[in-house]
mmCIF file of all heavy atoms in Angstrom:
data_model
loop_
_atom_site.group_PDB
_atom_site.id
_atom_site.type_symbol
_atom_site.label_atom_id
_atom_site.label_comp_id
_atom_site.label_asym_id
_atom_site.label_seq_id
_atom_site.Cartn_x
_atom_site.Cartn_y
_atom_site.Cartn_z
ATOM 1 N N ILE A 6 -10.171 32.366 46.847
ATOM 2 C CA ILE A 6 -8.761 32.671 46.808
ATOM 3 C C ILE A 6 -8.012 31.425 46.302
ATOM 4 O O ILE A 6 -8.149 30.346 46.886
ATOM 5 C CB ILE A 6 -8.200 33.069 48.143
ATOM 6 C CG1 ILE A 6 -8.998 34.236 48.771
ATOM 7 C CG2 ILE A 6 -6.699 33.451 48.082
ATOM 8 C CD1 ILE A 6 -8.656 34.560 50.215
ATOM 9 N N LEU A 9 -0.710 30.059 43.170
ATOM 10 C CA LEU A 9 0.495 29.245 43.366
ATOM 11 C C LEU A 9 0.812 29.019 44.829
ATOM 12 O O LEU A 9 0.636 29.920 45.649
ATOM 13 C CB LEU A 9 1.695 29.889 42.682
ATOM 14 C CG LEU A 9 1.873 29.607 41.196
ATOM 15 C CD1 LEU A 9 2.230 28.166 40.905
ATOM 16 C CD2 LEU A 9 0.718 30.085 40.324
ATOM 17 N N SER A 10 1.303 27.830 45.154
ATOM 18 C CA SER A 10 1.748 27.537 46.521
ATOM 19 C C SER A 10 2.997 28.483 46.787
ATOM 20 O O SER A 10 3.880 28.570 45.998
ATOM 21 C CB SER A 10 2.180 26.107 46.659
ATOM 22 O OG SER A 10 1.133 25.250 46.398
ATOM 23 N N GLY A 11 2.942 29.157 47.938
ATOM 24 C CA GLY A 11 4.054 30.046 48.270
ATOM 25 C C GLY A 11 3.802 31.467 47.794
ATOM 26 O O GLY A 11 4.644 32.377 48.036
ATOM 27 N N ALA A 12 2.686 31.724 47.122
ATOM 28 C CA ALA A 12 2.434 33.048 46.575
ATOM 29 C C ALA A 12 1.774 34.008 47.574
ATOM 30 O O ALA A 12 1.619 35.206 47.285
ATOM 31 C CB ALA A 12 1.564 32.959 45.294
ATOM 32 N N GLY A 13 1.352 33.522 48.737
ATOM 33 C CA GLY A 13 0.810 34.386 49.769
ATOM 34 C C GLY A 13 -0.647 34.215 50.107
ATOM 35 O O GLY A 13 -1.264 35.100 50.654
ATOM 36 N N LYS A 14 -1.176 33.030 49.791
ATOM 37 C CA LYS A 14 -2.623 32.809 50.086
ATOM 38 C C LYS A 14 -2.900 32.812 51.593
ATOM 39 O O LYS A 14 -3.949 33.370 52.002
ATOM 40 C CB LYS A 14 -3.081 31.467 49.502
ATOM 41 C CG LYS A 14 -2.972 31.440 47.983
ATOM 42 C CD LYS A 14 -3.608 30.170 47.404
ATOM 43 C CE LYS A 14 -2.875 28.928 47.833
ATOM 44 N NZ LYS A 14 -1.472 28.868 47.233
ATOM 45 N N SER A 15 -2.010 32.297 52.399
ATOM 46 C CA SER A 15 -2.241 32.313 53.877
ATOM 47 C C SER A 15 -2.221 33.723 54.403
ATOM 48 O O SER A 15 -3.046 34.055 55.293
ATOM 49 C CB SER A 15 -1.139 31.488 54.549
ATOM 50 O OG SER A 15 -1.189 30.109 54.189
ATOM 51 N N GLN A 16 -1.368 34.530 53.901
ATOM 52 C CA GLN A 16 -1.319 35.957 54.291
ATOM 53 C C GLN A 16 -2.556 36.656 53.842
ATOM 54 O O GLN A 16 -3.118 37.495 54.563
ATOM 55 C CB GLN A 16 -0.049 36.631 53.718
ATOM 56 C CG GLN A 16 0.081 38.091 54.129
ATOM 57 C CD GLN A 16 0.239 38.268 55.628
ATOM 58 O OE1 GLN A 16 0.821 37.379 56.317
ATOM 59 N NE2 GLN A 16 -0.207 39.401 56.201
ATOM 60 N N ALA A 17 -3.043 36.339 52.657
ATOM 61 C CA ALA A 17 -4.243 36.977 52.124
ATOM 62 C C ALA A 17 -5.470 36.656 53.004
ATOM 63 O O ALA A 17 -6.296 37.524 53.232
ATOM 64 C CB ALA A 17 -4.500 36.496 50.660
ATOM 65 N N VAL A 18 -5.580 35.424 53.421
ATOM 66 C CA VAL A 18 -6.689 35.028 54.297
ATOM 67 C C VAL A 18 -6.684 35.890 55.606
ATOM 68 O O VAL A 18 -7.734 36.330 56.062
ATOM 69 C CB VAL A 18 -6.619 33.551 54.621
ATOM 70 C CG1 VAL A 18 -7.619 33.215 55.756
ATOM 71 C CG2 VAL A 18 -6.942 32.724 53.487
ATOM 72 N N LEU A 88 -3.364 34.515 43.273
ATOM 73 C CA LEU A 88 -2.088 35.023 43.736
ATOM 74 C C LEU A 88 -0.958 34.283 42.967
ATOM 75 O O LEU A 88 -0.949 33.024 42.935
ATOM 76 C CB LEU A 88 -1.924 34.809 45.225
ATOM 77 C CG LEU A 88 -2.944 35.572 46.121
ATOM 78 C CD1 LEU A 88 -2.642 35.305 47.568
ATOM 79 C CD2 LEU A 88 -2.913 37.080 45.801
ATOM 80 N N ASP A 89 -0.067 35.065 42.430
ATOM 81 C CA ASP A 89 1.009 34.540 41.582
ATOM 82 C C ASP A 89 2.352 35.059 42.076
ATOM 83 O O ASP A 89 2.393 36.005 42.912
ATOM 84 C CB ASP A 89 0.784 34.935 40.156
ATOM 85 C CG ASP A 89 1.576 34.028 39.165
ATOM 86 O OD1 ASP A 89 2.328 33.181 39.615
ATOM 87 O OD2 ASP A 89 1.369 34.217 37.944
ATOM 88 N N LEU A 95 9.351 32.025 44.277
ATOM 89 C CA LEU A 95 8.740 30.897 44.926
ATOM 90 C C LEU A 95 9.784 29.909 45.434
ATOM 91 O O LEU A 95 9.657 29.366 46.561
ATOM 92 C CB LEU A 95 7.771 30.176 43.923
ATOM 93 C CG LEU A 95 6.547 30.998 43.539
ATOM 94 C CD1 LEU A 95 5.799 30.263 42.430
ATOM 95 C CD2 LEU A 95 5.655 31.237 44.730
ATOM 96 N N ARG A 98 11.324 31.249 48.568
ATOM 97 C CA ARG A 98 10.442 31.163 49.741
ATOM 98 C C ARG A 98 10.391 29.723 50.280
ATOM 99 O O ARG A 98 10.385 29.509 51.487
ATOM 100 C CB ARG A 98 9.020 31.650 49.370
ATOM 101 C CG ARG A 98 8.949 33.138 49.142
ATOM 102 C CD ARG A 98 7.606 33.597 48.580
ATOM 103 N NE ARG A 98 7.552 35.019 48.354
ATOM 104 C CZ ARG A 98 6.527 35.671 47.776
ATOM 105 N NH1 ARG A 98 5.468 34.993 47.386
ATOM 106 N NH2 ARG A 98 6.584 36.970 47.586
ATOM 107 N N THR A 138 2.817 38.660 43.763
ATOM 108 C CA THR A 138 3.431 39.049 45.026
ATOM 109 C C THR A 138 4.936 38.999 45.037
ATOM 110 O O THR A 138 5.577 39.101 46.114
ATOM 111 C CB THR A 138 2.874 38.109 46.175
ATOM 112 O OG1 THR A 138 3.367 36.778 45.973
ATOM 113 C CG2 THR A 138 1.368 38.145 46.212
ATOM 114 N N ASN A 143 4.350 41.885 52.988
ATOM 115 C CA ASN A 143 3.026 41.584 53.524
ATOM 116 C C ASN A 143 2.204 42.822 53.652
ATOM 117 O O ASN A 143 0.964 42.800 53.466
ATOM 118 C CB ASN A 143 3.183 40.894 54.914
ATOM 119 C CG ASN A 143 3.713 39.487 54.808
ATOM 120 O OD1 ASN A 143 3.604 38.845 53.730
ATOM 121 N ND2 ASN A 143 4.215 38.954 55.880
ATOM 122 N N LEU A 146 0.809 43.738 50.239
ATOM 123 C CA LEU A 146 -0.275 42.844 49.830
ATOM 124 C C LEU A 146 -1.538 43.218 50.602
ATOM 125 O O LEU A 146 -2.643 43.249 49.980
ATOM 126 C CB LEU A 146 0.110 41.371 50.147
ATOM 127 C CG LEU A 146 -0.925 40.335 49.896
ATOM 128 C CD1 LEU A 146 -1.383 40.354 48.412
ATOM 129 C CD2 LEU A 146 -0.481 38.912 50.267
ATOM 130 N N ILE A 150 -5.088 44.300 48.765
ATOM 131 C CA ILE A 150 -6.366 43.579 49.004
ATOM 132 C C ILE A 150 -7.423 44.569 49.598
ATOM 133 O O ILE A 150 -8.569 44.562 49.165
ATOM 134 C CB ILE A 150 -6.181 42.391 49.971
ATOM 135 C CG1 ILE A 150 -5.339 41.341 49.258
ATOM 136 C CG2 ILE A 150 -7.499 41.856 50.458
ATOM 137 C CD1 ILE A 150 -4.950 40.134 50.144
#
Side-chain angles (χ1 to χ4, degrees):
I6 306 169
L9 277 294
S10 300
K14 297 187 295 295
S15 297
Q16 182 62 31
V18 169
L88 298 182
D89 199 356
L95 292 175
R98 289 174 182 173
T138 66
N143 287 342
L146 177 59
I150 291 174

